[in-house]
């Protein structure tokens, strides 16, 4: 008889490890399966980790976790070819406890986090692919792996297998994703000295900055670019929906080079040494793309459950919170001795009652609206830049005259009614 | 600062398996139905190269992102994970 566990967690990213750690900490017998050489070796994100949801799992984690910089400034750029309209917030309250969020390098962070799980009693097996769920009488009872005699059994199997979630697809929890439900993102880590980073971004040693860039960063396609400061390197990346990437015939690495050479960007990273290149999909379908998340003997967490808020670039926090909620439900199920779909559906209720699904619901039509109305990124960002240029250029005409001219240009370019409609449509998509 | 895709790929550690985890199911579909050979454009690692009659699949440099499986308009790519411990090994982010 093969060994049986209370819980098998497939995947050692933030969602899987949050679940595995919480279960083990509470005395359950947990097996965690990771297909990479080590946790983090297959995992990619831009790099922002949120304090709140991590702290709910490991209090005061910032005292020992391998973090890069606490983020004290968040900037947003609406960028055109040779200009950018920017806004942002910098606050030094974020430079001290309890902090707001941190930049991290995932290969380091994920290894540390999974290590905490192991300390708590998780049995972590690396270099192992979970090839399918074992289903008996309509109930998931374990997984098959690509190891010889690689069948393992558990009361509950947690799918934390990431954006592609082949296991979720095998169970019929979701169909194959459409190209407009995922964003293809590429990124480079660029080594740059601490002093240069501090000077160029106006930071001190233990302060970080994030910049999100819209508009020409994706050549007007639906997507964003980002620049995040690590201790002694910068993460710079860009992504668009896979559908936009395909229809625009862009090559993702060419788009990244376009961004790196953009006159608004190049001096920030100039002289830096590229150290790694990474590509990954981000689940951006939002509310409508969330699959079935609970079944008989099985739960789905993190990217595998499509829990990403693309508008606010939040994902790791949702992954962690979902992992924790799954663990809580599993402990309740363990006490009740009931691992049925009906019982495990309490996880779904928790998820839908939390900020996670509430936030996804708030923006449920945003991706769709922006995908089908390319004017926002292609036309309005340049228009906004022209308006700002006009308004701030001192040319002897009065401010009142400038305002009138700007409004006149905008309405004559787009037509007043179309303009009002577009503003209303965008507001409705994000309200 | 600009590096070609070859230079970018040099920055990445790969532990390639002997066997491909990516399979183009039918080269004729690429030949007849897909004039632009879309995967050769959007694949972020330039894994796919069209050789006139067939698709060459350089699976050794794959980032395992999944774009080709989702993006192929003819569902003509079979996509699996490489064997455990193989494939891309991210060292940093």
């Amino acid at each position: 008889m093969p060994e049986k566990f209370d819980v098998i967690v497939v995947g050692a990213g933030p969602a899987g490890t949050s679940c595995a750690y919480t279960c083990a900490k509470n005395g359950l017998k947990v097996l965690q399966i990771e297909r990479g050489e080590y946790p983090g070796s297959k995992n990619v994100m831009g790099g922002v980790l949120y304090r709140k949801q991590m702290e709910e799992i490991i209090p005061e984690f910032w005292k020992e976790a391998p973090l890069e910089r606490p983020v004290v400034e968040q900037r947003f750029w609406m960028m055109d070819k040779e200009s950018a309209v920017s806004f942002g917030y910098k606050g030094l309250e974020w430079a001290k406890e309890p902090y707001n969020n941190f930049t991290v390098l995932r290969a380091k962070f994920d290894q540390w986090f999974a290590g905490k799980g192991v300390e708590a009693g998780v049995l972590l097996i690396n270099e192992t692919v979970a090839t399918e769920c074992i289903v008996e009488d309509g109930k998931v009872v374990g997984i098959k792996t690509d190891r010889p005699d690689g069948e393992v059994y558990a009361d509950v199997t947690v799918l934390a297998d990431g954006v592609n979630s082949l296991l979720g697809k095998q169970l019929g929890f979701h169909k194959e994703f459409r190209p407009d439900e995922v964003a293809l993102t590429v990124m480079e880590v660029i080594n740059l000295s601490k002093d240069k980073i501090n000077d160029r971004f106006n930071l001190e040693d233990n302060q970080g900055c994030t910049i999100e860039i819209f508009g020409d960063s994706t050549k007007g396609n639906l997507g964003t670019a980002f620049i995040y400061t690590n201790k002694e390197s910068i993460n710079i990346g860009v992504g668009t929906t896979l559908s936009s990437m395909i229809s625009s015939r862009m090559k993702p690495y060419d788009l990244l080079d376009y961004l790196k050479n953009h006159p608004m960007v190049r001096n920030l990273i100039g002289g830096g040494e590229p150290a790694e290149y990474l590509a990954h999909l981000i689940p951006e379908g939002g509310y409508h793309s969330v699959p079935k998340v609970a079944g008989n003997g099985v739960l789905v967490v993190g990217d595998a459950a499509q829990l990403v808020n693309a508008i606010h670039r939040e994902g790791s926090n949702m992954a962690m919170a979902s992992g924790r909620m799954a663990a809580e439900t599993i402990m309740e199920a363990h006490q009740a001795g009931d691992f049925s779909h009906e019982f495990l559906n309490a996880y779904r209720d928790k998820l839908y009652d939390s900020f996670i699904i509430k936030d996804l619901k708030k923006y449920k039509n945003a991706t769709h609206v922006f995908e089908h109305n390319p004017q926002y990124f292609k036309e309005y960002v340049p228009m906004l830049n022209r308006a700002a240029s006009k308004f701030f250029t001192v040319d002897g005409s009065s401010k009142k005259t400038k305002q009138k001219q700007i409004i006149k240009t905008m309405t004559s370019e787009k037509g007043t009614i179309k303009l009002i409609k577009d503003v209303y449509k965008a507001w409705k998509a994000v309200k | 600062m600009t590096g070609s895709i070859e230079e970018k790929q040099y920055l990445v550690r790969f532990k390639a398996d002997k066997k491909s985890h990516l399979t183009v199911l039918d080269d004729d579909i690429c030949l007849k139905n897909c004039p632009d050979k879309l995967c050769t454009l959007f694949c972020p690692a330039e894994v796919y190269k069209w050789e006139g009659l067939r698709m060459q699949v350089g699976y050794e440099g794959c980032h395992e992102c999944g774009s080709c499986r989702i993006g192929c308009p003819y569902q003509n790519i079979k996509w699996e994970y490489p064997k455990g411990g193989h494939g891309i090994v991210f060292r940093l982010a």
Side-chain angles (χ1 to χ4, degrees):
Chain A
M1 182 73 190
E3 206 174 350
K4 192 183 160 218
F5 294 85
D6 293 323
V7 190
I8 296 170
V9 177
V10 181
T17 300
S18 297
C19 183
Y21 174 88
T22 309
C23 287
K25 195 94 184 156
N26 287 281
L28 298 190
K29 191 173 161 193
V30 184
L31 173 69
Q32 189 176 24
I33 300 280
E34 163 59 43
R35 69 186 183 91
E37 193 176 305
Y38 48 81
S41 63
K42 304 286 185 183
N43 308 349
V44 183
M45 73 175 184
V48 179
L49 179 104
Y50 298 84
R51 181 263 308 163
K52 170 75 179 161
Q53 286 75 29
M54 181 67 205
E55 190 187 25
E56 284 170 356
I57 295 157
I58 300 184
E60 302 197 320
F61 66 95
W62 55 82
K63 291 186 173 158
E64 57 166 314
L67 305 168
E68 292 297 315
R69 294 172 183 246
V71 175
V72 301
E73 183 172 10
Q74 304 193 159
R75 302 181 194 168
F76 303 86
W77 292 0
M78 307 288 160
M79 191 164 84
D80 200 0
K81 298 249 179 313
E82 294 193 310
S83 65
V85 174
S86 66
F87 68 100
Y89 174 75
K90 181 170 186 174
L92 296 184
E93 77 280 9
W94 287 346
K96 52 185 188 243
E97 292 187 9
Y99 304 104
N100 181 37
N101 54 40
F102 302 88
T103 52
V104 295
L105 290 166
R106 285 284 301 274
K108 267 197 275 183
F109 181 84
D110 288 15
Q111 280 185 80
W112 171 82
F113 192 19
K116 296 302 285 184
V118 171
E119 275 175 35
V122 173
L123 177 61
L124 170 67
I125 309 280
N126 291 318
E127 305 196 315
T128 305
V129 178
T131 50
E132 61 179 285
C133 294
I134 305 170
V135 183
E136 285 174 8
D137 303 328
K139 179 182 180 317
V140 174
V141 294
I143 52 159
K144 279 186 191 159
T145 71
D146 66 348
R147 288 185 181 257
D149 304 319
E151 295 190 356
V152 275
Y153 293 85
D155 290 329
V156 185
T157 300
V158 179
L159 308 185
D161 53 341
V163 55
N164 284 298
S165 192
L166 299 185
L167 296 179
K169 202 169 107 180
Q170 178 220 333
L171 294 177
F173 282 19
H174 67 83
K175 293 200 182 80
E176 186 58 274
F177 299 111
R178 297 185 314 267
D180 63 355
E181 291 180 293
V182 292
L184 171 53
T185 300
V186 291
M187 148 172 137
E188 274 182 38
V189 181
I190 297 181
N191 287 338
L192 197 64
S193 75
K194 185 187 266 188
D195 290 344
K196 283 216 167 97
I197 291 174
N198 291 354
D199 286 350
R200 290 178 190 184
F201 292 86
N202 184 26
L203 299 167
E204 289 178 23
D205 277 1
N206 202 29
Q207 300 178 353
C209 171
T210 63
I211 310 176
E212 319 292 331
I213 312 173
F214 305 87
D216 197 43
S217 52
T218 54
K219 300 195 179 181
N221 290 285
L222 175 57
T224 56
F226 57 87
I227 298 174
Y228 299 154
T229 57
N230 301 317
K231 277 186 183 130
E232 294 191 278
S233 62
I234 285 174
N235 288 0
I236 179 167
V238 60
T240 73
T241 52
L242 181 56
S243 45
S244 297
M245 200 68 84
I246 293 171
S247 62
S248 67
R249 303 291 190 267
M250 289 189 299
K251 295 181 175 181
Y253 38 90
D254 288 347
L255 186 61
L256 180 57
D257 284 339
Y258 178 76
L259 172 73
K260 287 171 64 184
N261 286 296
H262 194 285
M264 296 294 111
V265 169
R266 64 182 173 228
N267 290 327
L268 290 175
I269 56 168
E273 197 58 48
E276 192 166 51
Y277 168 67
L278 312 90
H280 203 69
L281 285 182
I282 306 173
E284 295 204 348
Y287 183 76
H288 296 301
S289 300
V290 175
K292 188 174 158 183
V293 295
N296 284 316
V298 63
L299 295 173
V300 190
V301 297
D303 273 10
Q306 310 291 302
L307 305 178
V308 167
N309 178 349
I311 304 272
H312 289 260
R313 59 111 160 88
E314 289 178 30
S316 59
N317 57 334
M318 297 187 164
M320 289 173 170
S322 67
R324 182 180 51 76
M325 290 173 200
E328 286 167 3
T329 301
I330 291 167
M331 289 173 315
E332 289 155 16
H334 186 76
Q335 278 209 318
D338 183 351
F339 305 100
S340 65
H341 181 191
E342 292 69 37
F343 196 98
L344 293 179
N345 226 18
Y347 162 66
R348 185 184 185 276
D349 297 340
K350 283 184 187 140
L351 209 58
Y352 277 71
D353 204 30
S354 74
F355 78 98
I356 299 177
I357 298 292
K358 282 182 185 161
D359 283 358
L360 295 190
K361 201 169 182 181
K362 176 175 192 290
Y363 299 113
K364 64 181 189 295
N365 295 321
T367 310
H368 185 78
V369 166
F370 292 125
E371 176 93 5
H372 291 274
N373 296 275
Q375 65 268 29
Y376 291 107
F377 284 60
K378 277 201 165 67
E379 296 170 26
Y380 286 119
V381 171
M383 203 187 269
L384 184 68
N385 274 268
R386 287 195 298 277
S389 173
K390 179 103 195 146
F391 193 70
F392 293 122
T393 301
V394 175
D395 59 5
S397 54
S398 74
K399 301 299 179 224
K400 265 257 160 73
T401 311
K402 279 177 185 292
Q403 275 175 14
K404 273 185 197 155
Q405 278 173 346
I406 288 168
I407 289 170
K408 208 174 145 199
T409 323
M410 288 174 110
T411 48
S412 66
E413 264 180 48
K414 297 294 301 183
T416 312
I417 295 182
K418 174 88 175 100
L419 193 70
I420 292 169
K421 265 191 178 164
D422 278 350
V423 171
Y424 176 70
K425 219 177 338 187
W427 176 75
K428 228 179 107 189
V430 300
K431 79 173 177 351
Chain B
M1 287 293 300
T2 302
S4 65
I5 182 61
E6 287 82 8
E7 284 170 33
K8 290 191 197 313
Q9 288 286 82
Y10 269 122
L11 303 172
V12 187
R13 192 180 141 211
F14 295 100
K15 192 173 159 192
D17 193 2
K18 291 191 188 72
K19 176 176 160 282
S20 178
H21 63 287
L22 307 169
T23 317
V24 172
L25 297 171
D26 182 355
D27 286 312
D28 269 4
I29 289 180
C30 314
L31 179 71
K32 290 178 186 147
N33 300 358
C34 192
D36 289 346
K37 314 288 180 272
L38 294 170
C39 61
T40 67
L41 301 175
F42 68 74
C43 168
E46 212 178 36
V47 163
Y48 297 94
K49 285 182 182 154
W50 181 246
E51 289 187 324
L53 282 173
R54 62 179 287 275
M55 192 64 79
Q56 190 209 323
V57 183
Y59 71 93
E60 298 91 341
C62 173
H63 283 232
E64 302 159 29
C65 70
S67 296
C68 57
R69 189 190 75 248
I70 297 172
C72 172
Y74 304 98
Q75 289 84 48
N76 195 29
I77 298 172
K78 186 176 157 215
W79 192 97
E80 296 161 298
Y81 292 120
K83 197 161 158 267
H86 291 73
I88 197 158
V89 185
F90 291 121
R91 295 164 296 112
L92 299 171

